[in-house]
Amino acid sequence: MENLKTAIIDIGSNTVRLVLYSYDKNEGLREFGNIKTVARLRTYILPSGEMSEEGICLLADILNSFKLILTDYDVTDVKAAATAAIRQAINNTEIIARMKEETGLSIDILSEDEEAYYGFVAVANSMDTPSAVTIDIGGGSTEITVFNNKKLQKSVSFPFGTVSLMQRFVSGTIISAEEREQLRSFVTKQFMSMDWIKDVNLPVIAIGGSARNVAQIHQQQVEYPLSGVHQYEMKKNDLVNLRNHLTQLSFEQLKQLDGLSSDRADIIVPALEVFIALMTVVHTDNFQISKKGLREGLIISRVLQGNPKAYNQYNVFDENARRLALTYKRSEQEVELLVQLATQFYEECCQFNLFNREENDLQLLKKAARVYAIGEYIELDSFSQHTFYLISNQSIDGLSHVERVKLALIASYKNRDYFRRFAQPFETWISKDDLKKLRDFGAILKFIYALNMTKRSVVKNIAMEKVEDYIRLVITTNERAIAELAQAEKQKKHIERVFKKTVQLVFNNERWN
């Protein structure tokens, strides 16, 4: 599958959402429209187990309004999927038939296992965490999975979610301390019944709107310097402190709180209690957020059916780096040359004990080489500022937020002054030793980048020689390299500062030898 323009209608227990996607083999999966209606369909389930006529009519009205939007966007490829509210309604066969008749849309009711599986697919293909426990808490159900080395091990769907927990435990608008204790005891008991999540000491990755809102509120509280919640990380104590803070606020204050959707003001504390209870049972302090969930899992699975190589869950970053580079007009040939030369240069440095060889360092350098100076696409003179902004201020699948900052610092390197300014807001994130290493790697890439000045890929090899009190770099080319030589001479000062030695450049054209 090379190109796709499609829509997912996600009929949940709390919200009904229409999300529009495009997929291109070079650009990847891109969301270009997202419309949410808060329906709380779970509240229309009668004591008999049926969904009321009022709830059915509400769903039909929402779906018909979505059809008009689909027409405006000229999207005809549509998948509608229903989860807990419809799945749990004993008249769901009638509901599906009526939706087909009244809206023309065919709706698939996802099983509990399918709902859990698609959430896992989204996480595995968009995050670099190899093993984890996932939780997707919706309005009417909560899906838990465990995966090890990106392989799904077990999954379960609990028949409770934020809306149904509110109905069961909360008598007023917001939850009281006594009600919180009862809710916490209930969900803890449910989680403890699953031996395969007890004390596994794996990160907990949370999916869904409640998780995104938790991250957004916390980012507002700490004045977080980056954008995006995908792959955002928190500690258990962060969740506890956030819950304690939110329980002090009135319902009106919660509705006005920055980062919190007003329609989640009543359910955000119950969601936090569920997250904290799961972390306690799992015995972990690591809480991560995935912005990608059920809807992305459905699309990714469909793309993989048409092209099994479209995603690589074992190397999430490289494919996203390839697409990022292509977006900013960096050819694959140029990228591969930068990676090759950066690798050669690093290995030569290690051979002469200029660096202690660390595989993680080499991988970081190679990642940065893939996106070095992509800001040139916007403006050549200010490539450094644009590169740092582009990398640090967008979610890049396969990179944690700290890794994103490290990558941005290396890939945007222009000189020490710019590096210092960009690094300043993150000095508490990264040690001084690591900052120095990042600066050195940036200087190396600045020099390596000069070796492909004309974009002809004429440099084929770099060899290093130690001669008395200076370093000689022998650079082999297969064509004349006048521009490369001139630019390398200009930029070698950056690696001289790294080595604290004079560097002599020798260009050898293999055709002339």
Side-chain angles (χ1 to χ4, degrees), residues 201-339:
N201 196 25
L202 292 173
V204 167
I205 299 177
I207 304 166
S210 293
R212 293 193 298 271
N213 274 254
V214 165
Q216 289 165 184
I217 300 166
H218 188 252
Q219 288 179 343
Q220 290 285 335
Q221 280 191 329
V222 300
E223 298 182 349
Y224 197 65
L226 298 183
S227 63
V229 299
H230 188 55
Q231 299 167 115
Y232 186 62
E233 298 185 22
M234 299 171 65
K235 298 298 184 183
K236 184 180 177 182
N237 202 43
D238 294 327
L239 297 179
V240 172
N241 290 338
L242 183 58
R243 177 203 62 193
N244 293 342
H245 171 66
L246 297 184
T247 55
Q248 303 302 311
L249 303 181
S250 69
F251 182 60
E252 289 303 317
Q253 288 173 319
L254 285 168
K255 288 200 295 185
Q256 297 299 318
L257 187 65
D258 287 341
L260 176 62
S261 299
S262 59
D263 57 272
R264 293 186 183 273
D266 57 341
I267 60 176
I268 192 65
V269 171
L272 274 163
E273 291 289 2
V274 174
F275 294 146
I276 294 167
L278 179 62
M279 292 184 75
T280 301
V281 172
V282 171
H283 196 248
T284 184
D285 194 40
N286 190 336
F287 184 77
Q288 303 174 16
I289 288 86
S290 173
K291 188 181 178 183
K292 314 291 176 70
L294 170 66
R295 295 180 292 274
E296 288 77 15
L298 286 164
I299 296 288
I300 291 170
S301 295
R302 182 175 172 186
V303 170
L304 285 170
Q305 287 176 357
N307 179 9
K309 295 182 179 180
Y311 290 87
N312 181 356
Q313 63 186 25
Y314 297 103
N315 193 350
V316 175
F317 171 78
D318 277 4
E319 182 60 22
N320 284 279
R322 184 186 72 84
R323 292 166 179 162
L324 187 63
L326 286 173
T327 298
Y328 297 104
K329 308 305 180 187
R330 185 67 53 78
S331 73
E332 292 192 43
Q333 180 187 24
E334 183 179 359
V335 169
E336 291 309 314
L337 179 66
L338 288 174
V339 172

Side-chain angles (χ1 to χ4, degrees), residues 386-507:
H386 290 303
T387 300
F388 185 82
Y389 183 86
L390 288 171
I391 295 174
S392 64
N393 283 285
Q394 63 177 303
S395 293
I396 301 176
D397 289 353
L399 289 183
S400 71
H401 288 211
V402 173
E403 290 170 334
R404 210 165 87 201
V405 171
K406 290 181 177 180
L407 192 76
L409 287 169
I410 300 172
S412 66
Y413 188 86
K414 184 176 184 179
N415 56 43
R416 293 188 173 197
D417 182 57
Y418 275 92
F419 182 92
R420 178 186 55 77
R421 280 189 272 166
F422 293 152
Q424 192 275 327
F426 307 100
E427 287 178 347
T428 59
W429 293 24
I430 306 169
S431 70
K432 286 185 178 180
D433 287 344
D434 281 349
L435 281 172
K436 180 184 180 303
K437 184 185 296 181
L438 297 177
R439 188 184 67 195
D440 289 348
F441 287 175
I444 287 171
L445 284 185
K446 176 78 170 170
F447 174 75
I448 294 295
Y449 194 66
L451 298 179
N452 197 27
M453 183 69 179
T454 60
K455 314 301 183 192
R456 294 177 299 138
S457 301
V458 297
V459 173
K460 297 304 175 185
N461 189 64
I462 303 174
M464 183 178 291
E465 301 172 358
K466 269 192 174 181
V467 183
E468 296 179 354
D469 59 346
Y470 68 92
I471 291 173
R472 177 185 294 144
L473 290 181
V474 180
I475 298 161
T476 304
T477 70
N478 63 358
E479 297 281 354
R480 69 171 180 269
I482 300 171
E484 282 75 16
L485 172 59
Q487 190 68 5
E489 286 288 355
K490 181 180 177 181
Q491 302 300 339
K492 73 176 185 179
K493 62 184 180 183
H494 297 289
I495 56 173
E496 287 179 331
R497 290 171 185 157
V498 173
F499 301 149
K500 296 181 173 57
K501 290 180 180 292
T502 300
V503 172
Q504 179 191 68
L505 302 182
V506 177
F507 274 65

